[in-house]
Amino acid sequence: MTFYMYILQSSTTAKFYCGQTDTLNERLKRHNAGEVKSTKHGMPWTLIAVCTCSSRSESMSLEKTIKKRGIQRWLTEHKEFLI
């Protein structure tokens, strides 16, 4: 099964959100429908980066690394994942 680490950016606040999922399109729809508590106040969200991972633990580890480093800083250093 394929898992994804993804980064969203709010069109209204310009803030970033980093998450992981195995159903990327469904998850993006939930973010933009206001169904996710942590992203409810920033809609609409735009997918700006995605990384394909081979396991949930790999995607979770990458998500943790990115959040620890800082999403914007990580994006500056890893432009290959930008959409």
Side-chain angles (χ1 to χ4, degrees), residues 66-80:
I66 292 168
K67 287 179 176 178
K68 196 175 203 179
R69 179 78 175 139
I71 297 171
Q72 194 165 8
R73 181 183 288 172
W74 188 88
L75 284 170
T76 302
E77 297 168 354
H78 297 88
K79 294 179 192 275
E80 67 271 20

Side-chain angles (χ1 to χ4, degrees), residues 6-69:
Y6 62 94
I7 298 174
L8 306 176
Q9 186 171 22
S10 169
S11 298
T12 56
T13 65
K15 291 189 178 187
F16 295 100
Y17 175 84
C18 180
Q20 60 83 31
T21 186
D22 60 345
T23 56
L24 186 58
N25 292 329
E26 289 298 316
R27 189 67 173 150
L28 183 56
K29 286 178 189 175
R30 290 185 61 214
H31 283 294
N32 282 319
E35 297 175 7
V36 181
K37 186 177 180 180
S38 57
T39 58
K40 192 173 184 176
H41 302 290
M43 298 183 304
W45 292 88
T46 304
L47 182 65
I48 62 165
V50 66
C51 178
T52 305
C53 301
S54 58
S55 67
R56 182 172 302 277
S57 61
E58 182 184 351
S59 64
M60 290 175 76
S61 176
L62 182 56
E63 176 189 11
K64 184 177 180 180
T65 299
I66 292 168
K67 287 179 176 178
K68 196 175 203 179
R69 179 78 175 139

